[in-house]
Amino acid sequence: MTSNLLSKLAILLFGLLVLSTTNISAQQEAKDSLQTLIKELRSTPNFSIKDTTHINLLNHLGRELRFFNTDSLLLLSQLALDYSKSSNYKKGENYALLGLGNYYSDQGNHTKSMLYFKNVLSMSIVSKDIELRLRAQNNLASEFAYIGDYAKSLIYYLEGIDIANENDSKFWLSIFNENVANLYASQNDFVQSLEFYKKVKKINEEIGNESISAETMSNIASIYADTGELEHAMYNANTSIAIFEKTKKIEWLAYAYATKAKIYLKDNKFEWALYWYRQSEMLHEKIQDDRGEIEMLNGMSQAYLGLGNDAMSETYALNAYAISHRIKDMEGSKQCAKTLYQVNKNKEDYTEALKYHEIYQSLSDTLYRNENKKSLTMLKTKMEHEKQKVDLIKENTKQLDTQRAYVNVALGILLIFIIVTLLVFRSEKVQKNLNSELQKKQEDLKLNELELHEINRTKDKLFSIIGHDLRGPIAAFQGLLKLFKDGEIEQNEFMGFMPKLSNDIDHISFTLNNLLTWGQTQMNGAVTKAEVVALETVVKENIDLLSEVAKNKSIRLINHLEAKTLTWSDTNQIDIVIRNLISNAVKFTPENGMVTITAIEKKDQWQVSIRDTGIGMNQDTIDKIFSDNSTLTTYGTNNEKGTGLGLSLCKEMIEKNNGKIWVESLLRKGSTFHFILPKAKDKYQRTA
């Protein structure tokens, strides 16, 4: 069974590709695209005919081919139905049933088509698929209209309008209102029909789709032609034709051409009518739209009759009559019988003329009686529908009033309960607030005690460093100056102390700068102000500053930082970090050593490394040097003295700039201090 169906599909796709050379419209491009997608899907590995995408494509292609190859619609819908059932794909099954219903509707088998549409409608209600329900609702209403049961048709259309309103579907509101307008037009109630078309035009303006608007305008043109308002009819027809020619909607363009021909026919301009009917006829050769073709052939028959060409009039009338009879179109059969009566009367074949006259009279009587009954039924149905809605609104209002009364009583009881509850818990809340305030004050006292302890610790450390590391060099400097002032040393001897004095002054300045910075951070006074910092410039400036100290120990300072080593950080803080690290490297490197500064670019960071060939450190020292509480003071290779807070200050500065610092060291091999800082991004550079 499966291989047989696939064979049918392959034959169908091949046939469609052959036929595609005759159609060049945008619709044909859509069909070609669907055919290509199906072929590509079937050629993929592990393809299954039960694939939901495959089933959806079959249903979609069937809809596109409805007015071009009706047998293809039947085959594709049947294939999609079989595949959907075998895979339990309900959505695919429903849309396949819609396709089959459309096929039998076009064949005039309204009983069978309605069975399919009713089935889909029932399943859409269960599955709560609104789009599917609206389609089934519309198709079913159309079928009742085709068989002349306008009352039931109107009921389904009005229900569809309610559903579309509830779901705010402008597209379906346009379709349902337009179909109701067409029902009134079929009753020759053109006033009521145009009222509905006014609603449709307003909805179409909100949708903003020119193709939908063009479909409405072509229908309005036909109604204006029937009422004799030919100027309005021609304006709407020409506007719709321009849009359909642009969008290449062939089935609608054929209808619009026939509508324009109908306008000329009403104006007795038979040559022009025939010209536009022929334009429609050429398009009908590419499509399969029996209902549209009946109207077009009837029109051509009347145009030829107006031109006195009875033979051609008879030919077209007979063709239209055959199609009307096949699909049970009573209105089409009546119009054809009228034309054939006139043609046979003109050629004095009174037997045939009488036959068609009787057919015309019989159909006219039937339609006249039915139309009167249908008009009353439609009016009654509409009034009943409106009354049901009004009654339902009243009942809902009554129930809402009752519900509001219950709600108000419940709210009153709830309000009393809330008041009592508030009074009961008010004293408890006051007590809790007092307890919370007392607890908060206790916590504030503890916090103040901790802050005071920390301030005292900072003060003790400052005084310790000042007394230990600054008082000695300053006292020595004062003593030397006193000796020189008292004449106990000569000027030459005093000048001999100048290098040492210079080193001591540099040491005092460096230490004092670190102390001030550290003290400010401990008092929460240092604010980090990030900007774009060129590290290569900061490193160069500090090398220049420390070059004399390095030269005295014959130490080489090597800067490998390239241009545009840019970070997003605080310039002053990073300057302190680099100065401390280079100074430490020089201090702990013996004579003839080397200090190297390098930078490695990472994804979002720069890693800067300061490596020396100094004495190195053991693990115990490494663990202590970055500690905030460390007072570790070490001496350089020439007994240079430090404050013991430089590295903890470096750590604090780096972390304030979203970085990280660490050290790698081996005794007698040297140390390498690394730190990372965020790179300066483009947006930071522009801001700076």
Side-chain angles (χ1 to χ4, degrees), residues 591-647:
E591 293 183 353
N592 299 313
M594 182 170 59
V595 176
T596 307
I597 303 97
T598 59
I600 300 173
E601 184 176 7
K602 297 191 174 183
K603 182 178 180 182
D604 296 314
Q605 297 169 322
W606 282 103
Q607 178 178 319
V608 180
S609 302
I610 299 175
R611 181 176 179 274
D612 62 57
T613 57
I615 60 176
M617 295 177 285
N618 57 29
Q619 189 60 45
D620 184 56
T621 303
I622 291 172
D623 293 338
K624 293 178 179 178
I625 56 174
F626 289 119
S627 173
D628 290 339
N629 298 320
S630 174
T631 56
L632 180 67
T633 300
T634 54
Y635 293 85
T637 56
N638 285 355
N639 288 322
E640 302 99 326
K641 193 175 183 182
T643 63
L645 58 81
L647 289 176

Side-chain angles (χ1 to χ4, degrees), residues 518-584:
W518 178 78
Q520 189 178 32
T521 61
Q522 295 302 304
M523 300 300 181
N524 298 321
V527 178
T528 301
K529 296 180 180 179
E531 59 183 341
V532 178
V533 178
L535 288 181
E536 73 276 7
T537 302
V538 178
V539 170
K540 183 178 182 305
E541 290 174 352
N542 279 284
I543 286 176
D544 292 341
L545 182 65
L546 298 169
S547 60
E548 187 66 30
V549 178
K551 183 178 178 181
N552 291 337
K553 296 181 70 173
S554 299
I555 294 173
R556 286 187 297 157
L557 300 178
I558 301 173
N559 179 11
H560 283 313
L561 267 67
E562 298 180 355
K564 294 186 178 180
T565 307
L566 306 178
T567 66
W568 184 251
S569 55
D570 186 299
T571 303
N572 294 328
Q573 293 177 355
I574 301 307
D575 182 55
I576 290 171
V577 171
I578 291 175
R579 190 177 309 161
N580 271 280
L581 293 179
I582 295 177
S583 176
N584 283 350

Side-chain angles (χ1 to χ4, degrees), residues 27 67-68 248-256 284 287 289:
Q27 290 170 307
F67 296 111
F68 294 88
K248 303 296 183 184
K249 295 190 72 171
I250 293 180
E251 68 273 21
W252 274 99
L253 184 58
Y255 172 71
H284 272 285
I287 62 178
D289 181 10

Side-chain angles (χ1 to χ4, degrees), residues 288-333:
Q288 295 181 5
D289 181 10
D290 288 341
R291 294 186 180 95
E293 190 171 4
I294 292 169
E295 187 173 352
M296 181 268 297
L297 292 173
N298 266 329
M300 293 188 75
S301 173
Q302 293 170 23
Y304 276 118
L305 187 62
L307 291 170
N309 191 338
D310 292 356
M312 291 298 292
S313 176
E314 183 177 23
T315 299
Y316 279 100
L318 286 171
N319 287 340
Y321 185 80
I323 298 172
S324 300
H325 184 71
R326 175 167 57 82
I327 67 171
K328 303 177 181 64
D329 188 334
M330 295 176 67
E331 182 63 32
S333 297

